[in-house]
Amino acid sequence: MRSTRAPFRQAGPPVDGDNLDALDVSGAGQAWLTAVRNNLPRGGSLSAGAWERRHRAILVLLWLHVPALAAFGLIRGFALLHVAGEVAVVAVATFVAGSALLSPTVRMAAASFGLASASAILVHFSGGYIEMHFHFFVVVVVVSLYQHWLPFLGTIAYVAVHHGVLGALDPTSVFNHPDAIAHPWKWAGIHAGFILAESAAAVYAWRHSESAQLEAKSVTRNLIAERAQLEERTAALVLLKGVASAANEASELHEAIAGTLRAVCSYTGWVAGHAYLVDDPSGELIDTGIWHREASEQMDAFQRATEEASLVSGLDVGGRVLRRRHSVSIADLATDASFNRKGPAADAALVSSFGLPILAGAEVAGVLEFFADGPDTVDDDLKGLMDQVGTQLGRVVERRRATESVAGAVQALELRNREVTLLSEMGELLQSCEAIDESYGIVTRFAERLFPFDSGAMYLLSASRNVVEAVAAWGEALADEEPVFAPSACWGLRRGRPYETNAASGLACPHVTTGAAHDTICIPMVAQSEAIGILHVRRARGDTSVGTGDARRQLALTVAEHLALAMANYRLRASLRAQSIRDPLTGLYNRRYLEESLDREVRRATRSSKPLSVVSIDIDHFKVFNDTFGHSAGDAVLSAVGRLLLESFRGEDIACRMGGEELVVILPDTSCDAAMQRAEQLRNLVRDLAVDFKGQALGRITISLGISSLPDHARSAEELMLLADAALYQAKAAGRDRTLLHADGPPATP
């Protein structure tokens, strides 16, 4: 099942099978030829890279001959067409030698033919000068660089034909010496001697180069084999080290198992690994859900089949390992009688399997099973290595059991410290909130962290105390519960103390739906002996995390206490704030708030270059109401006009009572024309206002209004108020019940 490395193979030369090894000799001369062949180079020993480098250099040499020969021929006085025809032979041979589409053998043959032809043309253009024949000697040496018999013997044959045949047929084209012309075979023999001597030297050097290359290849193969063995041993050590590191560094057994599965599959090439743990009470194998596998639909299906499979001792991979207490191999999953996942395994192309026990001392604490997509090739070395892996994991189990109780206590203590820190942070943030609405998001955020496995909500009683409404929630609490309900729908509120329910207790609060009525607690939030809401917490199904039971209940009680105090403080602060800025009779803002707001709005309008208008209002003949009907009637008039102002203006407008019957409205982003129009609308509404006091109609009510605007009339808050008052005085002087816009010029004296 282990992945095997491919045997080392040195890249060979680009040849076509025409080396000496291809010769087949027989007969009486076989022994002699064998001896000769053993002492000659085999040929084709160059690697592909070395051959390419040498061939490129020879091509460059060939291309240099083309212009050089052409120039030499023209200098020697040959006709242009004659020169072109001669040089074309070398050019064509060079082009063929440089074509990557042809085989290396053809390219070598073309290159050697081109070089030999260049030598012949050089001798021809020189008129047969003996000195030019040395070019042949150089060419033979250059061609021997290929270390291949075909171009080497072909070049020698070319020289023999050129000097022997052509020298005999046309001596003057080959030689210019009188004796050579008279005796061409004699001089051909002399040159042949030189060529043979040079060839012998080249072959000797070639043979030693080839021997050195073969020896280097042999040494390289041995080194690679030794390296492969060393890598195999190193990989085994790395595997054991990785398993040991995963076992020692992992904070949980599951992490150590996952790291081990990953390391083993990486080492062996197995495509899937899976782990079981033994359940302490029952001794049965429990699927951990820990896998290391390839991602595919077929493997997904195999994993599902594994999770659904019934694990019986003695059957399948895990059951056999559990019963035998040692590793087990299944060579062919398709034919194994006890393997009950054949279909999904075949779909996932799984062929064989190997299982090993996790041994904690003499006890099997779990089983690791692995699957391969090839036949079973587990040898004794691999089996021994896997046994060490199982032992390493077993030690993790032993350490976990030894430290489990301590770790649990430490975890519980850390949880308590974390809860205290979160409660402190929540308290600080709640104290920093300016409005109660800001606190709802803080409650949700910290409740999610304090009760990460639970759902819940904070409910507050309305001011009328007849409705309980959810203002903050986390988890899935409101998905199963009523967000608004009557106080009587909560047993905690009705009884005035925490009310818990679980699957065994039966009776749940009416505001909790039947499906959610399990492990819930409703805690009344009480401040200064007055219930202001409830904290409802619902535990997740099957939650066995640290902090369940009494510890979780105590945490909920502490949180409810903190929230009750915070919500009561918000309500008290809101009440005090309203009393400090609101006029209790009219519900309008008071003079203090007017002065703060007007300064702020003037600065804002100046920065944004937007208009700002102020409407100064006075109830006409207000003293008559007081004198005729009493001060209580006057208060009724003020209250009715105040309500009308709140209803008539926008939310961003600021309606205030300056004192007595004088009212002021600040209109942000409102020009003087728009302010005039809205003031007139208000004046008409007041004229239609009917106020009854103790069953008696108080008569028609009218108001006078004065308007000033920024930047049309004023540049500061003080000027705005002064000019609005001046316009108001002008309106009253003009007969009351009217609206006047401040005219440019000094303010009128009241």
Side-chain angles (χ1 to χ4, degrees), residues 583-588 619 622 626 631-647 657 660-661 663 686 689-693 698 701:
D583 175 57
L585 177 61
T586 61
L588 303 177
I619 300 176
F622 182 74
N626 285 333
H631 289 283
S632 296
D635 290 345
V637 172
L638 281 171
S639 178
V641 173
R643 287 195 301 272
L644 187 60
L645 260 66
L646 292 175
E647 297 170 358
R657 181 185 179 191
E661 71 273 23
L663 311 174
V686 171
L689 184 64
V691 178
D692 291 338
F693 178 72
L698 298 182
I701 303 171

Side-chain angles (χ1 to χ4, degrees), residues 79-103:
L80 178 61
L81 290 177
H82 181 80
V83 171
E86 296 272 359
V87 175
V89 175
V90 179
V92 171
T94 305
F95 179 77
V96 173
S99 175
L101 300 176
L102 301 175
S103 68

Side-chain angles (χ1 to χ4, degrees), residues 499-672:
Y499 181 76
E500 293 183 74
T501 181
N502 51 48
S505 65
L507 186 61
C509 286
H511 68 90
V512 180
T513 60
T514 304
H518 64 283
D519 292 351
T520 63
I521 182 171
C522 292
I523 305 173
M525 295 163 49
V526 180
Q528 298 177 351
S529 302
E530 181 182 358
I532 61 174
I534 62 168
L535 177 66
H536 174 78
V537 180
R538 188 182 75 198
R539 185 169 303 160
R541 293 183 184 272
D543 177 22
T544 58
S545 60
V546 175
T548 57
D550 293 340
R552 190 79 62 87
R553 182 179 185 276
Q554 185 58 48
L555 174 62
L557 292 171
T558 303
V559 172
E561 183 180 352
H562 278 68
L563 294 179
L565 292 174
M567 297 303 113
N569 286 336
Y570 287 137
R571 291 187 174 182
L572 178 60
R573 286 161 56 186
S575 175
L576 294 175
R577 172 66 174 169
Q579 293 176 19
S580 67
I581 64 173
R582 291 282 184 180
D583 175 57
L585 177 61
T586 61
L588 303 177
Y589 290 111
N590 57 23
R591 181 168 186 164
R592 173 187 172 188
Y593 190 80
L594 168 67
E595 292 172 350
E596 295 175 356
S597 301
L598 185 57
D599 287 338
R600 182 183 65 247
E601 295 299 329
V602 167
R603 288 194 296 270
R604 182 182 299 168
T606 302
R607 284 196 307 269
S608 60
S609 300
K610 292 183 178 180
L612 174 68
S613 296
V614 171
V615 180
S616 185
I617 307 169
D618 188 83
I619 300 176
D620 296 333
H621 304 296
F622 182 74
K623 188 173 182 300
V624 174
F625 292 105
N626 285 333
D627 294 342
T628 306
F629 302 103
H631 289 283
S632 296
D635 290 345
V637 172
L638 281 171
S639 178
V641 173
R643 287 195 301 272
L644 187 60
L645 260 66
L646 292 175
E647 297 170 358
S648 302
F649 287 94
R650 302 170 301 180
E652 61 267 28
D653 297 334
I654 303 171
C656 308
R657 181 185 179 191
M658 285 285 289
E661 71 273 23
E662 296 181 8
L663 311 174
V664 175
V665 181
I666 302 173
L667 303 175
D669 299 337
T670 305
S671 64
C672 57

Side-chain angles (χ1 to χ4, degrees), residues 476-492:
E476 301 178 354
L478 294 184
D480 298 325
E481 300 170 15
E482 296 293 337
V484 180
F485 55 86
S488 59
C490 177
W491 286 107

Side-chain angles (χ1 to χ4, degrees), residues 268-546:
T268 59
W270 294 336
V271 297
H274 172 234
Y276 298 99
L277 288 178
V278 175
D279 182 56
D280 289 335
S282 64
E284 298 178 353
L285 288 178
I286 304 299
D287 181 15
T288 63
I290 305 173
W291 285 81
H292 179 78
R293 62 178 180 81
E294 299 175 346
S296 67
E297 294 183 1
Q298 292 77 15
M299 288 301 300
D300 291 342
F302 181 71
Q303 179 173 342
R304 289 193 296 271
T306 300
E307 294 169 352
E308 297 169 358
S310 176
L311 298 175
V312 179
S313 178
L315 299 179
D316 213 299
V317 182
R320 292 188 197 178
V321 173
L322 182 63
R323 171 175 289 183
R324 300 179 185 181
R325 311 176 78 84
H326 61 72
S327 58
V328 171
S329 294
I330 299 180
D332 188 356
L333 298 175
T335 59
D336 189 83
S338 68
F339 186 70
N340 55 9
R341 294 168 282 170
K342 294 184 178 63
D347 294 339
L350 301 179
V351 177
S352 57
S353 178
F354 178 79
L356 64 111
I358 301 174
L359 292 175
E363 177 187 352
V364 178
V367 173
L368 301 182
E369 61 176 2
F370 298 93
F371 298 90
D373 53 4
D376 176 18
T377 57
V378 178
D379 54 22
D380 292 339
D381 292 339
L382 180 58
K383 181 179 178 297
L385 181 61
M386 293 299 103
D387 289 341
Q388 295 182 57
V389 169
T391 302
Q392 290 278 11
L393 279 180
R395 292 171 183 166
V396 177
V397 175
E398 290 178 324
R399 289 199 301 270
R400 185 196 66 168
R401 291 175 177 175
T403 60
E404 190 173 30
S405 59
V406 176
V410 171
Q411 185 179 3
L413 180 59
E414 291 176 349
L415 181 60
R416 298 289 85 76
N417 290 336
R418 174 179 174 273
E419 291 170 352
V420 170
T421 301
L422 289 175
L423 285 171
S424 177
E425 292 178 4
M426 182 180 71
E428 291 179 1
L429 288 175
L430 290 176
Q431 290 179 7
S432 302
C433 293
E434 294 184 356
I436 192 171
D437 293 347
E438 290 182 298
S439 68
Y440 301 155
I442 296 173
V443 171
T444 300
R445 172 186 165 194
F446 278 88
E448 289 173 345
R449 298 168 65 185
L450 287 166
F451 304 99
F453 305 102
D454 303 332
S455 301
M458 180 178 73
Y459 296 83
L460 292 182
L461 276 163
S462 64
S464 59
R465 306 188 64 81
N466 61 348
V467 171
V468 181
E469 182 179 4
V471 295
W474 70 96
E476 301 178 354
L478 294 184
D480 298 325
E481 300 170 15
E482 296 293 337
V484 180
F485 55 86
S488 59
C490 177
W491 286 107
L493 278 177
R494 292 169 67 177
R495 301 171 67 200
R497 61 178 182 269
Y499 181 76
E500 293 183 74
T501 181
N502 51 48
S505 65
L507 186 61
C509 286
H511 68 90
V512 180
T513 60
T514 304
H518 64 283
D519 292 351
T520 63
I521 182 171
C522 292
I523 305 173
M525 295 163 49
V526 180
Q528 298 177 351
S529 302
E530 181 182 358
I532 61 174
I534 62 168
L535 177 66
H536 174 78
V537 180
R538 188 182 75 198
R539 185 169 303 160
R541 293 183 184 272
D543 177 22
T544 58
S545 60
V546 175

